[in-house]
């Protein structure tokens, strides 16, 4: 199987895709992505090159509950984790972030690479509504929108650091000791007040791209997705916890992307 793929970028430049070392991908993401936290289950680290210059990176793998993810989207089919792959991280050099076409060209080259080198049925991804992202690059690439769900993050009220729930293990252990219980799955309001940590809710938007004819047939069996309109900025929702089980609407939260006191990972 071929391990590279190329696509035209504008009238002269060519975009080439190939697998790159994990360390190179992580370094690029830590330098240019708004979130420094890497997914845990990664299978491919792909580099997107323009004239031999690394201009973008996509990491493919799965989230924390791979089987539940695909079964929730397609409850009437017995699909398994091996039937799909997820975009865990995607970022570009800053000079390409402001363009309207580069993201779509990367997606096009990514789809081509997946079709040539893998047997996955679907490419899956999430747009991070908490960061104000509705998934416009996926909409421009004709992904099927499959609805949204509410998720939570934490924010240090002093530094502004966004604390991902996956990075809160030590805080959860401290929270459990603080409350005198064996375990906590979410940071409690009282503990967060003590630590100066805010809990913020927002929406995540699901997108799916069929990679094969079989995938298209499966997707057609779920007409409920065909009627969903793409989300826009007006569909973003943000709330902040003000008490146990109590939340109030807020404007889009801001985070300090340079602070990594809690979001520490080893590779």
């Amino acid at each position: 199987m071929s391990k590279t793929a190329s696509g035209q970028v504008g009238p002269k430049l060519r975009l080439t895709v190939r697998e790159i070392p994990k360390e190179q991908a992580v370094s690029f993401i830590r330098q240019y992505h708004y979130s420094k936290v890497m997914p845990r289950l990664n299978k491919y680290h792909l580099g997107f090159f323009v004239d031999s210059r690394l201009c973008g990176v996509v990491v493919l793998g799965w989230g924390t509950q791979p089987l539940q993810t695909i079964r929730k989207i397609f409850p009437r089919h017995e699909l398994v984790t091996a039937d799909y792959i997820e975009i865990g991280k995607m970022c570009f050099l800053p000079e390409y972030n402001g363009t309207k076409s580069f993201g779509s060209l990367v997606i096009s080259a990514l789809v081509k690479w997946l079709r040539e080198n893998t047997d996955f049925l679907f490419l899956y991804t999430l747009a991070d509504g908490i960061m104000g992202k509705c998934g416009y690059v996926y909409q421009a690439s004709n992904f099927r929108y499959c609805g949204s769900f509410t998720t939570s993050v934490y924010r240090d009220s002093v530094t502004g650091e966004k604390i991902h729930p996956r990075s809160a293990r030590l805080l959860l252990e401290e929270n459990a000791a603080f409350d005198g219980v064996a375990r906590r799955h979410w940071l409690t309001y009282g503990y967060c007040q003590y630590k100066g940590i805010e809990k913020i809710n927002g929406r995540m938007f699901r997108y799916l791209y069929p990679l094969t004819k079989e995938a298209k047939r499966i997707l057609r069996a779920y007409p409920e997705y065909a009627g969903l309109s793409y989300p826009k900025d007006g569909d973003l929702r943000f709330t902040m916890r003000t008490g146990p089980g109590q939340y109030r609407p807020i404007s889009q939260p801001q985070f300090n992307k340079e602070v990594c006191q809690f979001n520490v990972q080893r590779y």
Side-chain angles (χ1 to χ4, degrees):
M1 288 189 301
S2 170
K3 288 295 181 179
T4 63
S6 297
Q8 194 72 25
V9 181
K12 297 180 180 179
L13 300 180
R14 293 193 63 82
L15 184 65
T16 302
V17 187
R18 65 172 179 265
E19 293 189 68
I20 61 175
K22 178 182 73 173
E23 294 76 16
Q24 185 180 12
V26 170
S27 176
F28 189 96
I29 288 167
R30 285 185 165 174
Q31 186 171 1
Y32 298 115
H33 200 278
Y34 66 83
S35 173
K36 313 303 180 186
V37 179
M38 289 289 294
R40 295 294 185 187
L41 302 176
N42 303 314
K43 186 174 180 65
Y44 300 108
H45 301 82
L46 300 181
F48 294 76
F49 295 82
V50 176
D51 294 337
S52 300
R53 181 188 182 206
L54 181 62
C55 295
V57 165
V58 173
V59 175
L60 299 170
W62 299 274
T64 55
Q65 297 180 316
L67 182 59
Q68 292 89 330
T69 295
I70 197 67
R71 292 281 176 88
K72 187 175 183 65
I73 296 174
F74 297 114
R76 299 188 293 276
H77 287 74
E78 294 294 324
L79 298 182
V80 297
T81 301
D83 289 323
Y84 83 103
I85 195 75
E86 180 175 346
I87 298 176
K89 290 288 184 182
M90 180 171 69
C91 65
F92 316 132
L93 291 177
E95 64 199 72
Y96 290 106
N97 283 331
T99 66
K100 295 182 178 180
S101 60
F102 189 75
S104 295
L105 291 166
V106 167
I107 292 294
S108 177
L110 172 61
V111 167
K112 180 181 179 183
W113 189 92
L114 285 169
R115 284 173 168 164
E116 291 177 351
N117 296 285
T118 75
D119 297 318
F120 296 113
L121 295 176
F122 295 99
L123 174 61
Y124 174 71
T125 190
L126 291 168
D128 192 350
I130 285 184
M131 298 302 297
K133 297 182 180 297
C134 298
Y136 291 128
V137 66
Y138 307 122
Q139 297 174 20
S141 300
N142 295 317
F143 276 62
R144 179 65 56 87
Y145 173 56
C146 297
S148 67
F149 62 91
T150 299
T151 189
S152 302
V153 298
Y154 303 104
R155 180 174 65 182
D156 188 306
S157 60
V158 175
T159 67
E161 179 184 4
K162 177 186 176 185
I163 307 171
H164 194 282
R166 287 201 307 268
S167 304
R169 181 180 60 83
L170 293 178
L171 291 173
L172 287 168
E173 292 176 358
E174 186 178 87
N175 194 161
F178 181 83
D179 292 338
V181 297
R183 179 177 295 183
R184 285 294 187 198
H185 298 286
W186 290 95
L187 300 180
T188 62
Y189 177 73
Y191 174 75
C192 285
Q193 286 290 99
Y194 166 71
K195 294 287 288 189
I197 294 174
E198 302 160 326
K199 184 180 180 182
I200 297 171
N201 288 346
R203 301 176 72 184
M204 299 290 280
F205 303 101
R206 297 187 183 97
Y207 289 92
L208 204 66
Y209 194 94
L211 297 170
T212 68
K213 291 182 179 179
E214 180 185 357
K216 291 179 180 179
R217 287 195 296 270
I218 293 172
L219 195 53
R220 284 197 296 269
Y222 293 80
E224 56 266 38
Y225 296 140
L228 295 179
S229 299
Y230 281 144
K232 304 300 180 185
D233 289 351
D235 296 304
L236 296 170
R237 301 285 187 274
F238 311 98
T239 60
M240 180 182 292
R241 183 167 60 180
T242 57
Q246 300 176 357
Y247 293 83
R248 65 174 175 84
I250 60 171
S251 58
Q252 182 179 335
Q254 302 300 312
F255 301 95
N256 187 337
K257 304 170 187 177
E258 304 306 318
V259 180
C260 292
Q261 178 183 353
F262 296 102
N263 295 310
V264 177
Q265 289 183 311
R266 295 179 180 177
Y267 299 95

